[in-house]
Amino acid sequence: MAYKDFRDFLHTLEKEGQLLTISDEVKPEPDIAAANRALHNLGDKTPALFFNNIYGYTDARIAMNVMGSWPNHALMMGMPKNTPLKEQFFEFARRYEQFPMPVKREETAPFHEVEITEDINLFDILPLFRLNQGDGGFYLDKAILVSRDLDDPDTYGKQNVGLYRMQVKGKNRLGIQPVPQHDIAIHIRQAEERGENLKVAIALGCEPVITTAASTPLLYDQSEYEMAGAIQGEPYCVVKAKDADLDLPWGAEVILEGEVLAGEREYEGPFGEFTGHYSGGRAMPVIQINRVYHRKQPIFEHLYIGMPWTETDYMIGVNTSVPLFQQLKDAFPNEIVAVNAMYTHGLVAIISTKTRYGGFAKAVGMRALTTPHGLGYCKLVIVVDEDVDPFNLPQVMWALSTKLHPKHDAVIVPGLSILPLDPGSDPAGMTHKMILDATTPIAPDIRGHYSQPLDSPLGVAEWEEKLSHMLR
Amino acid sequence: MHICPRCESNRSEVVTRSPVKGAWEVLLCPVCMFTWRTSEPDSITDPAKYKSAFKVNPEDIPNAAHVPPIPERVQDRS
């Protein structure tokens, strides 16, 4: 099932009791960010927030936390809102294998209603506001950005759709942070080596499925639009941009078209990041916006980001875990059971696997480090047995506390790559990484006393069924 | 002209005013690119109260690391 557009998904959230409208007047700062931070402190089943009475504005409407909980993530996939996380993971993995689903093309879109090409002022058009106190300015942090590979523009999968933080630094000017491990850095480099500007398009207020695909660490030549179709189970709807050969999400609220200015760097940041730390200030590329179009009375979607967990963590939890799961399964198809890479975008990853012989689990951990996502993340990989649920942290802690011998099972690999935003990396972008093997030693590794694992009383499964019915 | 709370340059300019007249203005500093709204708490708007850890020295800005570095032009790519 597909959501027609962003508003369609908001209607579903409302119908399911997962959208809370705040009609009392709020100040742009600090109220909106504070409300969202507070919401994240209240658990993992929270609703989206919709602000429609913002001090100083006449008709601004801001939606936040749209995918910031497990119920909202389940609804994104068209599943019942109370679907357990592990079930969401396996269903996401099943749909991931339906990739690629070809796109559906349209000639026009609702966002063509209003078009601006002269005297663009993003501060007038968008209700921008500060998120965290040390932020260097107002950001777009839940917009998707579309760009093309210049060396191979005809390979559809190399058109990139990604989520990047963008600081609004002038009336028609944005700053962008291209993390080297992400695809946009490749496109910017191609353009700058030619001395050309890179055409880009930015979409705000999208259906959650394209935001999910855009934040999934797909392989470089895999199309996010074709993955969005796979996840929603029917072709994803796109329309052409006007100034470049780029596809845009049909259901977006606002589109900005522009170009990354070749060879230009400008002070950007700091920005409060998903690591729970500010990024620091650096000189980064600049995007000039040449054309804006939007729906009448557009809804501005934004995302509070900060110390985990926030909406980001729900948004990139399952969809970070699944590519790692699939890539590990490519190497070890009969062993890998599940992967939980939900912690700080996979800086920590937990892998559940069967083991074929002594030392096998450490090889699984090493493979995780060399997956495309692992190159920039996976600083700590914990490997557990097949009977440990990696999404159940008490079980993972049990495995660590009883299966791991620090002398044999803690492996440190020095001098590997990591995303520069990791505040512990030194220099930024470099780190040692660690594998913790919390699987049970098997031959020829004959360490420890593991021949008498505790089993359960007979009949537990029947009692689970019986009691769960009695508790309903 | 206004004083930037972060780098204390005096070159900041108004980039927008509130649709409801008189509620607030948004200012932008062209030196350190800091943006703020005049209705924000004074820990953001007042140069004397802006957190010291986040202050920016204008002299450091030209030396900020390029992320990513600007690559060399490659002649046969154009």
Side-chain angles (χ1 to χ4, degrees), chain A residues 51 55 76 88 94 112 161 168 283 323 375 424 428 466:
Chain A
F51 299 92
Y55 174 69
M76 178 274 292
Q88 294 188 43
R94 189 189 68 76
H112 288 132
V161 183
V168 183
L375 295 175
K466 187 174 175 178

Side-chain angles (χ1 to χ4, degrees), chain A residues 47-369:
Chain A
L49 294 180
F50 189 77
F51 299 92
N52 58 12
N53 184 3
I54 302 157
Y55 174 69
Y57 286 101
T58 51
D59 58 1
R61 300 188 295 172
I62 298 173
M64 296 190 72
N65 203 47
V66 169
M67 225 190 316
S69 64
W70 294 128
N72 289 21
H73 187 271
L75 292 169
M76 178 274 292
M77 295 177 67
M79 302 176 82
K81 69 176 183 180
N82 58 357
T83 305
L85 171 58
K86 195 172 162 189
E87 206 173 306
Q88 294 188 43
F89 168 82
F90 281 113
E91 177 60 13
F92 195 104
R94 189 189 68 76
R95 296 188 198 181
Y96 195 91
E97 291 187 344
Q98 308 300 311
F99 174 87
M101 174 82 73
V103 297
K104 181 182 176 196
R105 298 191 172 280
E106 298 286 352
E107 294 298 315
T108 61
F111 55 68
H112 288 132
E113 280 179 330
V114 179
E115 186 160 348
I116 308 165
T117 54
E118 302 287 330
D119 300 324
I120 292 168
N121 186 344
L122 298 173
F123 292 100
D124 285 344
I125 297 166
L126 304 170
L128 302 165
F129 57 95
R130 187 183 317 282
L131 287 173
N132 284 304
Q133 295 181 64
D135 286 354
F138 303 164
Y139 276 78
L140 310 180
D141 74 346
K142 205 182 178 189
I144 65 166
L145 182 139
V146 190
S147 61
R148 257 200 204 284
D149 183 294
L150 300 182
D151 289 343
D152 188 10
D154 296 329
T155 297
Y156 190 68
K158 292 185 181 178
Q159 172 177 248
N160 181 56
V161 183
L163 249 73
Y164 307 98
R165 74 183 216 206
M166 287 173 277
Q167 183 181 353
V168 183
K169 304 167 77 176
K171 292 178 179 178
N172 66 341
R173 206 171 160 87
L174 306 171
I176 182 169
Q177 175 180 255
V179 170
Q181 285 81 7
H182 294 172
D183 295 346
I184 187 68
I186 296 171
H187 294 178
I188 291 175
R189 183 180 181 88
Q190 289 174 338
E192 292 193 317
E193 283 180 349
R194 288 169 163 82
E196 295 174 6
N197 293 350
L198 178 72
K199 299 271 190 181
V200 295
I202 295 159
L204 297 102
C206 298
E207 315 88 330
V209 71
I210 188 59
T211 312
T212 299
S215 57
T216 301
L218 298 178
L219 299 178
Y220 179 67
D221 60 356
Q222 290 181 321
S223 161
E224 287 80 6
Y225 287 131
E226 292 178 341
M227 182 58 80
I231 301 300
Q232 69 181 9
E234 55 186 275
Y236 188 76
C237 208
V238 298
V239 63
K240 281 283 177 210
K242 295 193 177 182
D243 294 338
D245 181 24
L246 298 171
D247 289 327
L248 307 174
W250 184 89
E253 291 285 312
V254 180
I255 299 288
L256 316 177
E257 283 197 57
E259 49 204 320
V260 179
L261 303 177
E264 197 157 326
R265 298 288 184 273
E266 189 174 72
Y267 199 71
E268 195 269 6
F271 181 60
E273 274 287 358
F274 71 96
T275 60
H277 293 76
Y278 288 95
S279 60
R282 302 184 179 115
M284 299 205 186
V286 174
I287 300 172
Q288 175 182 298
I289 302 300
N290 304 320
R291 182 189 297 270
V292 177
Y293 23 88
H294 63 78
R295 294 183 71 155
K296 289 178 182 166
Q297 269 208 300
I299 300 168
F300 180 55
E301 189 193 13
H302 204 42
L303 170 152
Y304 176 77
I305 187 168
M307 186 174 160
W309 273 48
T310 69
E311 179 177 359
T312 310
D313 300 286
Y314 297 98
M315 197 172 77
I316 62 178
V318 172
N319 64 350
T320 299
S321 303
V322 168
L324 273 170
F325 171 63
Q326 299 290 5
Q327 289 156 20
L328 287 168
K329 274 211 313 180
D330 287 345
F332 308 110
N334 299 315
E335 289 81 19
I336 302 299
V337 176
V339 175
N340 174 358
M342 299 195 308
Y343 297 99
T344 324
H345 204 179
L347 284 174
V348 175
I350 307 162
I351 302 165
S352 167
T353 184
K354 299 171 189 167
T355 50
R356 286 161 60 189
Y357 35 73
F360 184 86
K362 293 179 180 72
V364 170
M366 294 288 283
R367 176 67 189 107
L369 300 184

Side-chain angles (χ1 to χ4, degrees), chain A residues 27-30 55-58 121 123-124 128-130 133-138 151 167-171 178 189-190 192-195 263 265-267 269-270 278 282-285, chain B residues 6 14-20 22-24 26 28 31-37 39-41 43-44 50-51 54 56 61 64-75 77-78:
Chain A
K27 282 202 158 181
E29 299 87 9
Y55 174 69
Y57 286 101
T58 51
N121 186 344
F123 292 100
D124 285 344
L128 302 165
F129 57 95
R130 187 183 317 282
Q133 295 181 64
D135 286 354
F138 303 164
D151 289 343
Q167 183 181 353
V168 183
K169 304 167 77 176
K171 292 178 179 178
R189 183 180 181 88
Q190 289 174 338
E192 292 193 317
E193 283 180 349
R194 288 169 163 82
R265 298 288 184 273
E266 189 174 72
Y267 199 71
Y278 288 95
R282 302 184 179 115
M284 299 205 186
Chain B
R6 186 165 77 163
V14 174
V15 286
T16 193
R17 294 187 168 84
S18 53
V20 175
W24 42 256
V26 174
L28 176 72
V31 175
C32 75
M33 313 310 297
F34 186 65
T35 308
W36 75 100
R37 194 185 319 269
S39 58
E40 291 194 69
S43 58
I44 300 290
Y50 197 79
K51 282 185 185 173
F54 291 94
V56 169
I61 292 172
H66 284 188
V67 178
I70 299 170
E72 293 283 325
R73 283 285 300 276
V74 177
Q75 293 306 323
R77 295 201 70 161
S78 54

